[in-house]
Amino acid sequence: MTILVSGSDTLTRDALTVLQPGFVGTTAPDWLLRRIGEGLSSVGLFGRNIVAPEQLATLTAQLRAERDDVLVAIDEEGGDVTRLEVNEGSSFPGNYALGSVDDVELTRAVARELGRRLAECGVDLNWAPSADVNSNADNPVIGVRSFGADPELVARHTVAYVDGLQAVGVAACTKHFPGHGDTNVDSHHALPRIDVDLDTLHARELVPFRAAIAAGTKAVMSAHILLSALDPTRPATLSPQILTGLLRRELGFEGLIVTDGMEMQAISSTYGIERGSVLAIAAGADAICVGGGLADEDTVLRLRDALVNAVRTGELPEERLADAAARVRALAAWTQAHRARGAGSGPGAAVQEGTAPGTDVGLVAARRALRLTPGERPYEPMTGAPYVAAFTPVANFAVGDETPWGIAAELERLLPGTETGSYGADAPVDTVLAAAGERRLVAVVRDAHRHPWMTNALDALLAARPDTVVVEMGLDESGPRGALHIATHGAARVCGRAAAEAIVGR
């Protein structure tokens, strides 16, 4: 039975309050401002909404002119997943680089500076950090977004990241609960299944989330994954056993539970976003994230109406929806109080040598994250412009394909005249060699261990040109090779700069 929704009663406002939609454009459309006035309490921003910091600050001010306590959320992990610098690449290395350095004060400084920049632009909820333990090196969606494969390492850096963000008034949203690291399926495209026992789950996946909760993370994001040991039928986002039983009762989390994007195929192709949203709120989620792919008023109205209808037909308890809305408003009040105190203003605090105010902490971290392995002979730094061959895999949806990556632009600044070419799985190596000519060759790869065509291409290049420099910008699992092997532990712009400096011997 379908019940038509109208009016602006408490039930309808609560249904709007729990939604975190996106939109298209660099200014807020009229429909979004109107729905904020009717009770919509959160807005999600993506790369399509951002051109420059000044424009972003104007946009968030436009949203808050309608309602001062509106939550403005963003998926800004730094590293490979950036929205602030979507068109040029991030000034901060990602989690894997920070985990490889394993200096929690450095991680805290990076998160604090990133949070400060978000706060200056009016963003107060960050869907980060990833607390996933990347125990499966073939994971196509987490990878360098994780601090690493050691639960304790991931836990201590997750805590540092949460501390850094929240110290400047930006709420952290620790994700993807209860852990997305042990899968080789991308939940943007299908429903991953993880068949580990409860002992493994508690000893591995849950360790960073327990630490984040103890550190006071304001929000936790659920994962669209099926954990058979906890719930054999429903993914975590829709599971009362996982969200209410495990996260709320057993782990004692009292903050905001946010879903991952409901338009992802793991939910939308199985349950549909309307049905999925009702089940998620009923299971214990408080905020429905939607807008990465669906970003229009119709989506907001469909979800609002689905929630209201579910309450009126008795499928969703009204008190559960009211509780979810209250948690959204509580977080909004926390961020509003921080904005009033100006918590995000001024440079990040100095927490160690080399990260004082005015220091480029992102570059400091990227340089420290490099691992250089020379070949059989001592490496001779390049002095002439090389040819950069970038072997490019298909980007996953979370990272996107609009953000540039690699080292060619950074090498060009140091060695003018540097040329580059991008190559896929079907590119003959002879084509690369012909393009390089007599120039020194730099081969750039990303997760070569997951792509046999990349490792085959590297082997063929090195057989023909042993002086080739190899730069791995993903997980460094395939082993060093080349005249110099550089592991950057991430593909952020700043990682490319650090690698370029190493190639020229600086």
Side-chain angles (χ1 to χ4, degrees):
M1 178 174 62
T2 300
I3 299 174
L4 296 178
V5 175
S6 62
S8 58
D9 57 20
T10 300
L11 176 57
T12 303
R13 291 186 68 84
D14 283 350
L16 279 172
T17 296
V18 302
L19 303 180
Q20 292 189 347
F23 63 95
V24 176
T26 55
T27 59
D30 290 342
W31 71 261
L32 183 64
L33 299 176
R34 184 169 62 254
R35 299 305 171 189
I36 290 173
E38 293 174 0
L40 186 68
S41 294
S42 308
V43 176
L45 300 181
F46 297 86
R48 63 179 179 244
N49 305 122
I50 300 169
V51 175
E54 298 78 13
Q55 168 266 328
L56 178 56
T58 299
L59 170 58
T60 58
Q62 182 188 16
L63 296 172
R64 293 205 170 94
E66 292 294 323
R67 180 173 176 173
D68 188 51
D69 66 344
V70 68
L71 279 168
V72 180
I74 199 169
D75 191 3
E76 180 57 59
E77 300 176 14
D80 290 28
V81 181
T82 180
R83 311 307 179 207
L84 283 182
E85 300 177 278
V86 65
N87 295 315
E88 59 269 15
S90 182
S91 300
F92 302 93
N95 286 3
Y96 187 51
L98 296 172
S100 71
V101 178
D102 196 15
D103 179 343
V104 293
E105 296 304 327
L106 180 65
T107 296
R108 185 174 288 109
V110 166
R112 185 183 181 103
E113 177 60 17
L114 179 58
R116 185 185 68 82
R117 295 189 189 185
L118 290 172
E120 282 187 341
C121 295
V123 177
D124 51 14
L125 171 58
N126 192 9
W127 295 318
S130 167
D132 304 295
V133 178
N134 199 61
S135 55
N136 187 337
D138 290 329
N139 195 316
V141 68
I142 301 300
V144 296
R145 300 168 66 197
S146 166
F147 290 110
D150 177 3
E152 295 297 336
L153 179 146
V154 175
R156 59 180 173 264
H157 287 278
T158 296
V159 167
Y161 211 101
V162 168
D163 286 346
L165 283 177
Q166 295 187 171
V168 291
V170 175
C173 183
T174 305
K175 63 187 183 186
H176 306 80
F177 184 84
H180 209 309
D182 187 17
T183 176
N184 59 5
V185 174
D186 185 346
S187 52
H188 291 91
H189 305 301
L191 177 61
R193 181 185 179 97
I194 299 178
D195 293 312
V196 298
D197 57 37
L198 288 176
D199 289 343
T200 300
L201 184 71
H202 282 274
R204 189 177 64 187
E205 273 76 13
L206 294 181
V207 171
F209 290 98
R210 288 183 185 275
I213 292 167
T217 184
K218 293 295 179 181
V220 168
M221 178 176 282
S222 67
H224 303 329
I225 55 175
L226 190 71
L227 285 117
S228 56
L230 292 172
D231 189 331
T233 60
R234 288 186 179 178
T237 295
L238 312 183
S239 171
Q241 296 95 308
I242 294 175
L243 297 189
T244 299
L246 177 61
L247 183 53
R248 285 279 187 232
R249 294 174 184 162
E250 184 173 343
L251 301 186
F253 179 62
E254 293 296 330
L256 189 75
I257 299 177
V258 183
T259 73
D260 207 344
M262 296 300 285
E263 66 268 45
M264 293 163 62
Q265 292 300 306
I267 299 296
S268 62
S269 66
T270 305
Y271 298 89
I273 62 168
E274 296 97 331
R275 174 72 174 156
S277 296
V278 170
L279 292 175
I281 297 295
D286 306 305
I288 301 296
C289 177
V290 65
L294 298 173
D296 53 42
E297 183 176 22
D298 179 64
T299 298
V300 172
L301 297 180
R302 284 161 53 201
L303 296 183
R304 180 202 66 182
D305 292 357
L307 292 168
V308 171
N309 287 337
V311 170
R312 290 180 175 172
T313 59
E315 182 182 7
L316 174 65
E318 185 170 2
E319 58 270 22
R320 170 76 275 272
L321 180 61
D323 173 64
R327 292 179 190 273
V328 174
R329 295 181 186 117
L331 180 57
W334 181 85
T335 60
Q336 185 181 32
H338 273 268
R339 285 199 309 279
R341 294 197 297 269
S345 62
V351 294
Q352 65 168 55
E353 183 179 358
T355 61
T359 299
D360 188 344
V361 66
L363 183 57
V364 170
R367 286 169 174 164
R368 291 184 62 188
L370 288 185
R371 184 166 68 235
L372 309 178
T373 307
E376 295 180 357
R377 299 179 180 179
Y379 173 69
E380 295 183 7
M382 290 188 187
T383 56
Y387 183 80
V388 178
F391 295 94
T392 307
V394 176
N396 69 62
F397 184 85
V399 175
D401 57 7
E402 69 270 36
T403 302
W405 69 281
I407 67 167
E410 300 299 330
L411 265 179
E412 168 65 25
R413 293 187 181 95
L414 300 175
L415 298 174
T418 294
E419 294 185 3
T420 187
S422 180
Y423 301 93
D426 56 352
V429 171
D430 288 346
T431 303
V432 181
L433 294 171
E438 298 300 316
R439 296 169 178 259
R440 290 282 297 275
L441 188 61
V442 179
V444 183
V445 295
R446 197 172 182 179
D447 290 339
H449 70 284
R450 293 201 302 113
H451 305 285
W453 66 268
M454 279 190 200
T455 57
N456 292 337
L458 287 179
D459 289 341
L461 282 181
L462 290 168
R465 296 284 296 273
D467 64 343
T468 296
V469 172
V470 177
V471 182
E472 170 59 81
M473 304 195 79
L475 294 185
D476 189 30
E477 295 285 331
S478 60
R481 62 184 78 194
L484 177 66
H485 183 92
I486 303 176
T488 63
H489 302 101
R493 174 178 54 82
V494 71
C495 297
R497 177 177 172 181
E501 292 173 344
I503 288 170
V504 302
R506 297 186 185 179

